[in-house]
């Protein structure tokens, strides 16, 4: 096997690995924040909110991520230049890049899955804990902030870890919208050097290593968060 190409392409590899990690962090962080609102809406008493949140989750969980990415990139991306004043604003250098659309698609997709998981976790919280909180005079907002949501997140932690790993493995599709992530870097190296297995092996080792780190981090987090009895 020939790995002599690593040093000449080191900058491309590092940049690709950075973009992969950046997309993962953005989509997981923003997606989880959106998932909280989706879960709360689904377990809430407002029928319109439940219907909208359920429809959102059904749409993004029921369609392939690649199609969602292309719809956003080739659909929304086509109309953005025609928004008055947008091309001259400070946002345009960000909005014209494929990285923005890739992060948006990954975030929206991740939020749908996490919203469903968090909804189930919220319904799994023992009702006695919520009733006890009401009995001591806590407001609904305080119950949600201090009891219901933290307890649900603790219940869903093992599943969240798997979802983050799945999100990591979904990032290579961003290469289809011109984002030069690690897989995109490997593809360019393969085109330049005509080597197939070595660049893909490097990508594989990176993903395996990052998956191990994510799993270990969540295991430590689970052990650090106390479980209420």
């Amino acid at each position: 096997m020939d790995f002599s190409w690593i040093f000449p392409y080191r900058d491309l590899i590092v940049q690709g690995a950075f973009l992969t990690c950046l997309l993962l962090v953005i989509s997981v962080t923003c997606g989880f924040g959106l998932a909280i609102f989706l879960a709360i809406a689904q377990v809430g008493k407002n029928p319109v909110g439940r219907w909208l949140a359920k429809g959102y989750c059904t749409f993004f969980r029921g369609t392939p991520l690649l199609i969602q990415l292309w719809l956003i990139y080739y659909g929304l991306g086509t109309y953005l230049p025609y928004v008055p004043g947008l091309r001259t604003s400070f946002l345009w250098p960000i909005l014209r890049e494929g990285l923005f659309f890739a992060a948006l698609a990954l975030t929206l997709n991740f939020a749908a899955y996490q919203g469903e998981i968090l909804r189930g976790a919220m319904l799994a919280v023992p009702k006695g804990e919520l009733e006890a909180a009401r009995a001591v005079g806590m407001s609904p907002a305080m119950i949600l902030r201090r009891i219901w949501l933290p307890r649900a997140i603790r219940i869903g932690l093992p599943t969240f870890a798997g979802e983050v790993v799945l999100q990591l493995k979904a990032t290579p599709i961003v290469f289809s919208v011109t984002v030069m992530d690690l897989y995109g870097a490997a593809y360019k190296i393969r085109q330049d050097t005509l080597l197939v297995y070595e660049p893909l092996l490097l990508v594989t080792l990176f993903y395996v290593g990052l998956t191990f780190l994510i799993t270990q981090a969540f295991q430590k987090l689970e052990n650090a968060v106390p479980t209420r009895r």
Side-chain angles (χ1 to χ4, degrees), residues 17-220:
F18 172 76
L19 286 181
T20 297
C21 294
L22 179 63
L23 284 169
L24 179 65
V25 171
I26 291 175
S27 60
V28 168
T29 304
C30 298
F32 188 76
L34 179 57
I36 292 176
F37 291 100
L38 292 172
I40 293 173
Q42 290 188 82
V43 300
K45 297 180 179 180
N46 188 326
V48 176
R50 287 201 307 269
W51 183 84
L52 290 175
K54 192 67 178 179
Y56 174 96
C57 292
T58 300
F59 173 80
F60 281 97
R61 292 171 68 235
T63 53
L65 177 56
L66 181 61
I67 293 179
Q68 296 168 19
L69 176 60
W70 284 0
L71 284 175
I72 292 174
Y73 181 75
Y74 294 107
L76 177 62
T78 302
Y79 292 101
L80 281 183
Y82 299 101
V83 176
L86 186 59
R87 299 193 68 170
T88 57
S89 71
F90 69 96
L91 292 174
W92 184 244
I94 299 174
L95 298 180
R96 69 182 180 184
E97 297 293 333
L99 181 64
F100 166 77
F101 299 98
L104 179 61
L106 290 171
T107 297
L108 296 177
N109 182 268
F110 185 79
Y113 284 92
Q114 290 298 99
E116 281 294 311
I117 293 171
L118 193 55
R119 177 193 63 83
M122 293 182 74
L123 294 177
V125 174
K127 296 187 182 300
E129 295 184 10
L130 304 180
E131 292 172 357
R134 295 189 190 101
V136 299
M138 285 189 177
S139 66
M142 184 178 293
I143 294 174
L144 177 66
R145 186 177 70 253
R146 300 187 63 178
I147 306 294
W148 202 1
L149 189 57
R151 189 77 164 91
I153 292 175
R154 176 62 182 85
I155 293 172
L157 267 180
T159 309
F160 294 156
E163 288 298 315
V164 173
V165 171
L166 290 176
Q167 185 74 353
L168 170 65
K169 293 190 291 185
T171 54
I173 70 166
V174 303
F175 174 62
S176 64
V177 292
T178 71
V179 178
M180 193 62 68
D181 68 322
L182 187 60
Y183 173 75
Y187 185 85
K188 176 172 175 51
I189 293 170
R190 186 181 68 179
Q191 285 186 318
D192 293 347
T193 63
L194 301 181
L195 296 172
V196 177
Y197 298 105
E198 290 88 341
L200 292 179
L201 181 59
L202 177 66
V203 174
T204 300
L205 292 175
F206 173 83
Y207 278 90
V208 169
L210 197 51
T211 297
F212 175 77
L213 293 177
I214 292 171
T215 304
Q216 290 296 110
F218 271 92
Q219 287 179 354
K220 291 183 178 180

Side-chain angles (χ1 to χ4, degrees), residues 7-21:
F7 186 77
Y9 287 95
R10 64 188 183 281
D11 292 338
L12 182 64
I13 294 170
V14 171
Q15 181 183 4
F18 172 76
L19 286 181
T20 297
C21 294

